Amino acid sequence: MKKPSSAPPKPRRPPPWRRPLLLWLLLHAGLPLALLLALALGLTSPSLDTQLLGLLPPSPHGPNMAEADALFAQNHSRNVVVLVSSPHFAQAKEAAAQLYAGLYKHTAPHAAPGAALFEELSLFVDENAVAQLSDFLHEYRYALLDAPTAALLEAGQAQTLADEALAWAYGALHLGGLSHMEEDPFLLSERALRGFLQVALLSGGGLSLKEGVLATEWEGRHYVLLRARLSGEGASLSKGGGIEEIYRVCRELEGATGDLAGAGKAGGEGNNPHGGIGEEAAPPLAFSFSGIPFHSYESASGAQKEITLLSSLTLGLLLLIFLWVFRSPWPVAAIGLSTLLSLAMGLCAALLVFGRVHILALQLGLCLIGLSVDYTLHFFVKRRAALGPAADGALRRGIGVCFVSSFVCFLLFLWAPFAILRQFALFAAVGLLSAYLTTLALLAGGWGLFRLFSKPSSAGPLASSAGPTGVHTSGNPPTGVPPSAVSPSAVSPSAVSPSGVSPSAAPLAANLRGPLFSPKISKALLAGLALVFIGAIGGGRHGLKIENNLGSLYRPSPQLLASERRASALLGYGAASGFLLGGDSLEELLQREELFLGELEAAGEGGFWGASRLIPSLKTQKARYEAAAHLRGLAKAQYEALGFWGEEAAEFEETYAALHGHYALPSKAPPLLAGLVSNLLVEAPSGRWYSMLLPLGAKAAPGVEQKARLAALAKPHGWVGLQNKAEDISAALDSLTATLLGLLGLAFILVVLGVGIYYGHWPQTLRVAATPVFAGLACLAMHAFWGLPISFFSMTGFILVLGLGLDYVFYFNEDAAMKASLSPGRKATTLAVVLSYATTALSFGALALSSFAPVRLVALSVLSGLSAAFLWAMLGRR
């Protein structure tokens, strides 16, 4: 009798699928629960950001100016202007009034809670608003003297002001009325109101106050101005926002033109493409639109429609391909389920960490579909070929290496100084992990419902000695199998395929049997392609530079461009550069602004205005109050000239003394003035204050020399920076492109080191490392051939190529490691790689047809790079 062993029994190793299954459960159950818990505790409020502000990169002027730029962008990116025009002023005013009434119901607080599309809506400049402003200017008439008035007083020319006041008093036009004349015989508040309306309200434009609205006549047409400020909900790029509502009401008014003026149906000038309006004829009633939200709506709606259409067509083609290859809905359903799970987990992670996720980050993350499809696709092709345990091991290793290389590339985006890229990185990395664990734990592990996919296909087991048709070809049958079971007549040709896929796909798999060409021919072809790429790069090398031209990335429709040009001519918008200023307090900021405005005027670069032109600093208000003391000696004569008795002069002295230290603050301004000040002055959550200096009136874009002069004036002051929004965005994108280039180099080094450690065979490592180099040459050649500079979106495509292009080589390397090159394993791997490339090429090839430049640039880079990586893998396979 055998004695029992005293050694402790060896612990049973758990099946290899249990550990991945545990990780799968932790991810797919833990992540949604964590999001729900954070939501219940109020730690996050997940939502999708569809506003234009989220698309803007950070300012290149440092952290303080970046904070200011973000605050002003949030203010200005929601302001819109509509110009209603007609040959007759009455018709233009009536249409503007009806447009105002149609939008007014969507203005807070008249709309339902949370449904207001507009924060502000302005058409009528009523007498009450002007009266409030006049009262405010009268109350602070000494402190708010304008600069020319203060200069005259300080120069001893008080009599000039007194004479002008008499001329206004006996004249026919009084903007503020004469109700304050008894306390203000020099009409200082009238002078301030005239300067305010001329400089601040109209901003140097050609509009004037007419019958309670701002209007002008230009080229035989009358224009009436309507201003609006969108709410957060109204500025959304999604359907049902404020811009869509403006377009809807305008189209209704165009259709009702006959009711307004007895004319036929109107066209429109400079209208949006959604209205179907051109400029061939001069319509009775027309609308011109100006403002960032109109451009945002036009570009976003067009891009979303294109992406939806192209993605739908691509998914339909992929579905047909998968059904043709597998001839079964189950693999297609498993691929779809894996993809949906990966997208859901990526979204949960992004919402949990960032709370508010921009829709563009999710659109970029749709490349995750191609990755998750690749994993499950390789599994089904290999498993249906029934290649045995060795092939399963190679499949796990191949998928694992591909996952690590792609995962590293996506994680590097987390260090990019751009919120959208970080959101995309987390979304894609977590979704990729989900797809990897789903394939490894559920499909390859044979758990639960997915046991069905682990069973051998009808082709029967294909051992390593199987021939091209899957029939044992050695002299003796396998052990335990009767000879009759392996006779040629016992095998149905229609039921057997070289890779275990559907019979109709068998010819494709049979033609993918080993290397396409001999090693020498393959090397010659690769070398020839590399020389072609290098030649194209050399021919177009002058255009290969980092450049992000905002004008080339987005081009408005001709109608919207015509609208903007018309608004610029009428409202005095200019392309001149402005300035951003900062200070630790409001008083410090206003003093700095006044100092810099004086330096600009002294240097002959005047024509800028800011908040200090409307409400000066306390230091300046005190100085102007003291300058007004020169009027006291003229008070008695002024009252007599106006027909008052002499005792009013004594009251004038008492009132002047009582107003000592009575200074105006922005918080005390009436609505008409406060709205303008809020566009020029903001307080940051950090407690700092920022202001903008804007060009007054329409000006041409400054040339290189003028920019240099303006920059030189700003350089000695650390608290002021020259700003040109379009150029700043382009410069920020240039900086981000350079950052991505560095991340690309870092990702390449990390992947090569990891591959070297994994394989331990440097010739094989170099072969893998050459793949992204070859793909990078193809990307650069494509840019050089088409004359495209290297932009931020191109660089994003380069990094995706690095994460995706190595997969093809990894799968072939794992096959070579298990010496399956002569078995159906090679054919199955080749078929899987071909299908994987086909899915990616279809997806990005469709997006390359988009008219939206950022999407097209990413797609072209990925398509050219992955095509080169695919050729490298196919021609270089052993």
Side-chain angles (χ1 to χ4, degrees), residues 14-32 341 345 400 403-404 407 429-442 447:
W17 55 267
R18 284 189 179 175
R19 283 169 291 181
L21 178 59
L22 178 60
L23 293 176
W24 185 91
L25 290 173
L26 288 175
L27 177 68
H28 291 79
L31 197 56
L341 284 175
M345 292 304 103
F403 163 73
V404 171
F407 193 73
V430 174
L432 188 66
L433 177 62
S434 169
Y436 171 69
L437 291 177
T438 298
T439 302
L440 202 64
L442 299 189
W447 175 75

Side-chain angles (χ1 to χ4, degrees), residues 51 74 77-80 106-108 111 114-120 228-237 240-243 293 356:
Q51 298 186 34
Q74 187 174 8
S77 64
R78 291 189 287 165
N79 294 334
V80 297
H106 299 287
T107 306
L117 301 179
F118 304 95
E119 289 183 358
E120 299 174 8
R229 177 176 173 82
L230 300 173
S231 65
E233 180 67 24
S236 172
L237 301 182
I243 299 301
R356 190 171 179 85

Side-chain angles (χ1 to χ4, degrees), residues 58 63 97 152 175 212 302 375 377 402 415 436 443 542 671 769 772 774 776 827 830 857:
L152 285 175
L175 295 179
Y375 292 161
L377 183 64
C402 294
W415 279 268
Y436 171 69
L443 300 181
H542 299 295
F774 189 74
K827 303 163 196 173
T830 305
L857 289 174

Side-chain angles (χ1 to χ4, degrees), residues 184-229:
D184 183 17
F186 299 99
L187 299 184
L188 297 179
S189 57
E190 172 79 9
R191 179 180 292 272
L193 182 60
R194 287 173 182 262
F196 172 79
L197 292 177
Q198 180 182 0
V199 177
L201 182 60
L202 304 181
S203 303
L207 279 73
S208 59
L209 192 61
K210 183 177 181 180
E211 297 185 15
V213 296
L214 292 174
T216 190
E217 184 178 1
W218 186 58
E219 295 184 350
R221 297 183 66 86
H222 293 269
Y223 291 84
V224 176
L225 175 69
L226 183 145
R227 298 179 187 267
R229 177 176 173 82

Side-chain angles (χ1 to χ4, degrees), residues 264-289:
K265 184 177 180 180
E269 56 181 15
N271 208 339
N272 74 97
H274 307 282
I277 299 168
E279 295 194 74
E280 292 78 5
L285 180 66
F287 299 90
S288 298
F289 307 98

Side-chain angles (χ1 to χ4, degrees), residues 20 25 41 70 145 152 174 184 229 253 310 317 343 407 422 496 512 527 540 587 625 696 698 742 749 767 800 804 812:
L25 290 173
L41 296 177
L145 290 175
L152 285 175
H174 311 102
D184 183 17
R229 177 176 173 82
L253 291 175
L310 294 174
L317 288 174
L343 292 175
F407 193 73
R422 293 195 293 271
V496 180
L512 300 174
E587 176 64 15
Y625 172 83
L696 184 61
I749 294 173
R767 178 173 171 268
L800 293 178
L804 304 177
F812 283 129

Side-chain angles (χ1 to χ4, degrees), residues 17-374:
W17 55 267
R18 284 189 179 175
R19 283 169 291 181
L21 178 59
L22 178 60
L23 293 176
W24 185 91
L25 290 173
L26 288 175
L27 177 68
H28 291 79
L31 197 56
L33 288 177
L35 179 60
L36 291 175
L37 182 62
L39 185 61
L41 296 177
L43 301 178
T44 184
S45 54
S47 61
L48 290 180
D49 185 3
T50 58
Q51 298 186 34
L52 178 70
L53 182 62
L55 301 176
L56 301 180
S59 171
H61 297 301
N64 286 337
M65 291 300 104
E67 182 182 35
D69 192 55
L71 291 171
F72 282 116
Q74 187 174 8
N75 277 347
H76 298 164
S77 64
R78 291 189 287 165
N79 294 334
V80 297
V81 164
V82 181
L83 287 167
V84 185
S85 71
S86 170
H88 308 286
F89 172 76
Q91 182 188 11
K93 180 182 176 183
E94 176 64 20
Q98 292 194 20
L99 174 60
Y100 178 86
L103 302 179
Y104 189 72
K105 59 186 177 183
H106 299 287
T107 306
H110 306 284
L117 301 179
F118 304 95
E119 289 183 358
E120 299 174 8
L121 201 61
S122 174
L123 172 64
F124 302 102
V125 184
D126 55 19
E127 295 181 358
N128 185 41
V130 175
Q132 289 179 353
L133 178 60
S134 180
D135 291 341
F136 175 80
L137 295 176
H138 173 71
E139 180 181 356
Y140 299 98
R141 57 189 177 277
Y142 299 120
L144 294 183
L145 290 175
D146 59 340
T149 301
L152 285 175
L153 291 173
E154 292 170 353
Q157 300 182 28
Q159 186 61 50
T160 302
L161 298 181
D163 294 341
E164 289 182 358
L166 291 176
W168 289 345
Y170 289 106
L173 180 63
H174 311 102
L175 295 179
L178 300 177
S179 58
H180 301 298
M181 184 181 296
E182 187 172 350
E183 296 175 346
D184 183 17
F186 299 99
L187 299 184
L188 297 179
S189 57
E190 172 79 9
R191 179 180 292 272
L193 182 60
R194 287 173 182 262
F196 172 79
L197 292 177
Q198 180 182 0
V199 177
L201 182 60
L202 304 181
S203 303
L207 279 73
S208 59
L209 192 61
K210 183 177 181 180
E211 297 185 15
V213 296
L214 292 174
T216 190
E217 184 178 1
W218 186 58
E219 295 184 350
R221 297 183 66 86
H222 293 269
Y223 291 84
V224 176
L225 175 69
L226 183 145
R227 298 179 187 267
R229 177 176 173 82
L230 300 173
S231 65
E233 180 67 24
S236 172
L237 301 182
S238 59
K239 189 174 182 180
I243 299 301
E244 186 171 314
E245 182 63 20
I246 291 175
Y247 284 151
R248 185 190 66 79
V249 178
C250 288
R251 283 195 295 269
E252 290 181 357
L253 291 175
E254 288 165 357
T257 304
D259 298 332
L260 289 172
K265 184 177 180 180
E269 56 181 15
N271 208 339
N272 74 97
H274 307 282
I277 299 168
E279 295 194 74
E280 292 78 5
L285 180 66
F287 299 90
S288 298
F289 307 98
S290 177
I292 293 176
F294 290 109
H295 296 270
S296 173
Y297 179 85
E298 180 182 80
S299 60
S301 59
Q304 290 175 1
K305 288 179 180 178
E306 281 188 350
I307 291 175
T308 301
L309 176 62
L310 294 174
S311 299
S312 300
L313 293 175
T314 302
L315 289 176
L317 288 174
L318 294 180
L319 179 62
L320 293 177
I321 291 174
F322 292 153
L323 288 175
W324 173 69
V325 170
F326 295 111
R327 286 299 177 94
S328 172
W330 296 112
V332 179
I335 291 173
L337 180 60
S338 174
T339 302
L340 290 177
L341 284 175
S342 64
L343 292 175
M345 292 304 103
L347 181 60
C348 283
L351 292 175
L352 180 63
V353 174
F354 297 103
R356 190 171 179 85
V357 180
H358 201 279
I359 192 171
L360 182 60
L362 301 185
Q363 289 177 344
L364 287 174
L366 290 180
C367 67
L368 190 62
I369 295 176
L371 284 175
S372 56
V373 165
D374 286 352

